Amino acid sequence: MTEFTKTLELKLVAPNAHKRQKLRETREAYQNALHDAFDAGCTTQTEANDVVVNYDLSGYAKNALKKYVPQLTTTDNAGELHDDHPVRFTNEGLRLDHKPENAIEWYVKIPHHEDYHLWMPAQPNPEQRDWLEALNAGDAEMGESRLFERDGTWFIHVTATRDVEDGSEASAEERTPIGVDIGEASLVTVCHRDDHSSPTAPELWADEGKTVRRLRKTYFTATRRLQTRGSERIAESFGDDLWNQIDDVFHRVTREVVEYAESVENPVLVLDDLTYIRESMDYGEYMNRRLHGWGFAKLHAQIRYKAVEKGIPVETVTPRNTSKECHACGEVGHRPRQATFKCSNDACWVGEYQADVNGAVNIADRYLSGESRSREHPNDDDSAEDGARLTAPQDSQADAEVQ
Ligand SMILES: [Zn+2]
C-alpha cells in the first residue's frame, strides 16, 4: 500500500463583481492577520490564535494561520513576508459539489467568514478528473486548500490523499487487456480474450443503461415542467436527487468493472481515449453537454481511480472503428439492430455478434496492437462516427427537450 498526495487545481469560473469583492475581502483579512501574527513574532499556535482571533475570517482560515505562522517564524526563518501568500484553509474547509446537468459541472464552497461561505462554479484540470471523483465520493481525503489570484483569475488548490495498492510487476506484454466499452444500450461492457485468444467472460451492464436513461429522461421532462411552473428551486433539488441516483449507479458499475479486472491475472483495463474523442469532434456546445450528460468522463474517471486504488493499470486507445470492425476478421460490418453487429465478410465465422461485446474485444485488441501508446490518426473522421453512436435513437425524445 502506498499513500499518494496530489494538489488539484480548480479555476473559479467568472465570479461576478459581488463574489470577487468577497474573495478580495477574504484575502485582505487573511493577509492582515498573517502580517500581524508574523510581526508579533508568534511562535506557538496559542500566540498566533490571540492575534488572528480578531479578524473577520472563517475558522478554517484562522486554524490554518495558527499552524502556518509558527512554521514561518520558527522553522522557515523567513526574513520578510510577501504580499502574495495564498489564503490557506484547513481540511474540510472546502466542499465540492458535482452537477453534471450544468454547463460548468463542478462547484466549490469557499469559506468567507464565520457564518458565510461562497458556492462558486469551478473548472478542474481535466487530467485530474479521477482525483476529483475520488474526493467527491469520499474515497480520497481532502487536505489543506489554498485560494489565490493569478493574472486576474482566481484559483483553488486542494491537496488530496489516497491509498493505492502496489500493482504487480508484470510487463505490458504479459498483461491481459480487458476492453471496456461505454455505450448507450449497455452502460458498460467488458470482455477479454482467454489463453486461446477466444473472447471470454463478457459482462454487460444493460439494466443499468436502462436505469440511467430513465432517470435522465425523468430529469429532462420533470424539471422542465417544474421550471415552466416557476418552481426553480424544486426543479433544482429534484434534479440533484436524480443525478445523485445516476452517480450511485455509476459508482456501483465502475466498482464491478474493477472487480472483474481483479478476477483476471495481470489485468490491464483498456478504455477509449476520451481526449481523442473530444479533440477530433466538432460537437459544439450541445453535444459536449450530451457527452457530459451521459457521464462518459465520469465513468472513465471513476474506473480510473478505482482501478489505480487496486493496483490495476489503465490504458487508453484511439476509438477509431472499435464499434464498426469485426473482432475476428477486421472487416467493417454493420448493425441491423442496436445490440447486434453483423460481419459483412462471408468467409468469417462471426456472422452476427453482440455489438457491445464486439466493441469491447476490439478495444482490448487495440492494446495488443500497440495503439495504446500512439495516436496515429489524429484527424481520422471515423472516430466522429464512432462517437456519434452516443446518440442512440431511443433517447431522441429526451434530446429534443434539451434543445
Ligand atoms: Zn468477421
Side-chain angles (χ1 to χ4, degrees), residues 234-255:
I234 299 172
E236 203 185 320
S237 68
F238 182 68
D240 282 352
D241 181 54
L242 289 172
W243 286 96
N244 284 338
Q245 288 181 49
I246 292 177
D247 200 30
D248 288 346
V249 174
F250 280 13
H251 274 295
R252 181 167 57 75
V253 171
T254 52
R255 197 174 56 240

Side-chain angles (χ1 to χ4, degrees), residues 326 328-331 343 345 348 350:
C326 170
C329 69
E331 195 85 8
C343 182
N345 177 1
C348 175
V350 158

Side-chain angles (χ1 to χ4, degrees), residues 258-396:
V258 173
E259 280 166 14
Y260 178 101
E262 284 183 292
S263 72
V264 174
E265 203 182 349
N266 289 327
V268 52
L269 281 165
V270 189
L271 303 168
D272 279 343
D273 186 337
L274 207 62
T275 343
Y276 181 90
I277 297 180
R278 290 248 176 88
E279 281 169 5
S280 58
M281 280 190 284
D282 185 21
Y283 267 139
E285 189 54 27
Y286 162 65
M287 264 319 286
N288 271 329
R289 270 179 59 188
R290 276 260 315 126
L291 204 67
H292 287 153
W294 215 169
F296 266 57
K298 210 171 168 60
L299 285 163
H300 265 225
Q302 289 185 7
I303 290 172
R304 262 179 193 286
Y305 93 76
K306 287 172 193 183
V308 169
E309 245 172 40
K310 299 290 180 191
I312 296 166
V314 178
E315 283 283 346
T316 54
V317 295
T318 59
R320 183 176 55 96
N321 270 350
T322 46
S323 68
K324 288 192 292 190
E325 280 175 9
C326 170
H327 72 272
C329 69
E331 195 85 8
V332 171
H334 67 283
R335 288 186 171 199
R337 290 173 300 282
Q338 170 72 21
T340 309
F341 171 85
K342 198 169 186 317
C343 182
S344 49
N345 177 1
D346 291 336
C348 175
W349 65 266
V350 158
E352 288 194 346
Y353 210 81
Q354 212 292 333
D356 296 311
V357 177
N358 181 62
V361 177
N362 278 332
I363 291 168
D365 288 352
R366 290 290 152 90
Y367 174 84
L368 294 171
S369 66
E371 285 195 47
S372 59
R373 266 137 281 164
S374 66
R375 288 194 191 182
E376 289 176 298
H377 311 281
N379 296 315
D380 198 321
D381 284 340
D382 285 340
S383 61
E385 287 171 45
D386 260 0
R389 77 197 152 94
L390 310 186
T391 50
Q394 65 262 41
D395 257 18
S396 53

Side-chain angles (χ1 to χ4, degrees), residues 190-235:
V190 294
C191 193
H192 69 285
R193 289 182 186 267
D194 64 16
D195 295 343
H196 309 288
S197 216
S198 306
T200 185
E203 199 165 331
L204 293 93
W205 284 266
D207 288 347
E208 288 80 359
K210 269 185 215 142
T211 306
V212 170
R213 276 202 303 280
R214 177 177 53 76
L215 288 168
R216 210 166 40 133
K217 201 164 181 169
T218 311
Y219 169 78
F220 288 129
T221 46
T223 54
R224 198 186 57 159
R225 201 179 308 131
L226 286 164
Q227 277 161 359
T228 19
R229 281 202 223 131
S231 315
E232 295 287 341
R233 281 179 57 195
I234 299 172

